[in-house]
Amino acid sequence: MPMRNLVSWNAILGGYAMHGKAKEAIEIFHLMQRSGQKPDLVSFTGILSACSQSGLTEEGQCYFNDMSREHGIEPGVEHYTCMVSLLGRAGKLEEAYSMIKKMPFEPDGCVWGALLSFCRVHNNMTLGEIAAKQLFKLEPTNSVNYILLSNIYASKGKWREVNEVRDMMSKIGWCVVSFGEATLQMLTLPML
């Protein structure tokens, strides 16, 4: 391109991030700045996402800190979601939860959902319950949250708790179908 603007830089950065090509995303991020283009909120979402998907925890933390310190950009909910995902993927669930508690605004379902997802990956029942409780308030009809919590319980052999989650789902009106002890599936069709 003879002329590159912020949209074109962010498009290629986001494309690399979306496809897990962190090295290329980082190169584009630095090339963009060397060319005189300042990053914006979208640029930082892309670079944080790339770091998260590639397990570049320390690099991601540096970019997150540089947002406000070097660029005067205050992180938004999407940046916190990327950081919770980045820390969760690395198994740093307590650090992710600490970051959520320090957010300057109320965390949304995406932030809590990222924490719950990685609690499932790392079988952290305590933080999983905390995240699920928040999600049940924010997204009471999102079946994924119930399934993730149930699967955390099942992985720990907590069958009474699995049944409690199934009961919660049935009260909402879902038909709960179980395939094996540790797998919970459900149909979101209204019961007749």
Side-chain angles (χ1 to χ4, degrees), residues 27-125:
E27 287 175 13
I28 290 294
F29 187 76
H30 291 292
L31 182 60
M32 174 179 77
Q33 291 177 77
R34 284 194 303 272
S35 76
Q37 181 63 61
K38 293 181 179 182
D40 69 353
L41 290 167
V42 176
S43 311
F44 278 102
T45 302
I47 198 69
L48 292 173
S49 177
C51 290
S52 174
Q53 292 194 30
S54 298
L56 301 175
T57 308
E58 290 178 17
E59 293 88 339
Q61 288 176 308
C62 287
Y63 288 119
F64 182 81
N65 293 332
D66 287 349
M67 280 183 71
S68 57
R69 190 171 48 219
E70 290 188 21
H71 299 278
I73 299 172
E74 291 303 315
V77 70
E78 63 275 15
H79 305 106
Y80 280 96
T81 302
C82 286
M83 288 303 297
V84 170
S85 178
L86 177 110
L87 294 167
R89 193 176 307 270
K92 298 181 175 188
L93 298 173
E94 291 291 341
E95 196 172 333
Y97 181 52
S98 178
M99 177 172 268
I100 291 171
K101 291 191 295 187
K102 293 176 185 171
M103 286 175 61
F105 39 80
E106 287 297 313
D108 67 2
C110 291
V111 173
W112 288 115
L115 182 62
L116 180 59
S117 293
F118 286 106
C119 285
R120 170 62 185 108
V121 169
H122 298 289
N123 290 317
N124 187 317
M125 190 171 72

Side-chain angles (χ1 to χ4, degrees), residues 4 6 65 85 88 99 104 107-108 131 151-152 165 171 185 187:
R4 298 178 188 119
L6 186 58
N65 293 332
S85 178
M99 177 172 268
D108 67 2
N151 286 342
I152 292 170
V165 174
K171 286 178 185 170
Q185 299 289 327
L187 306 171

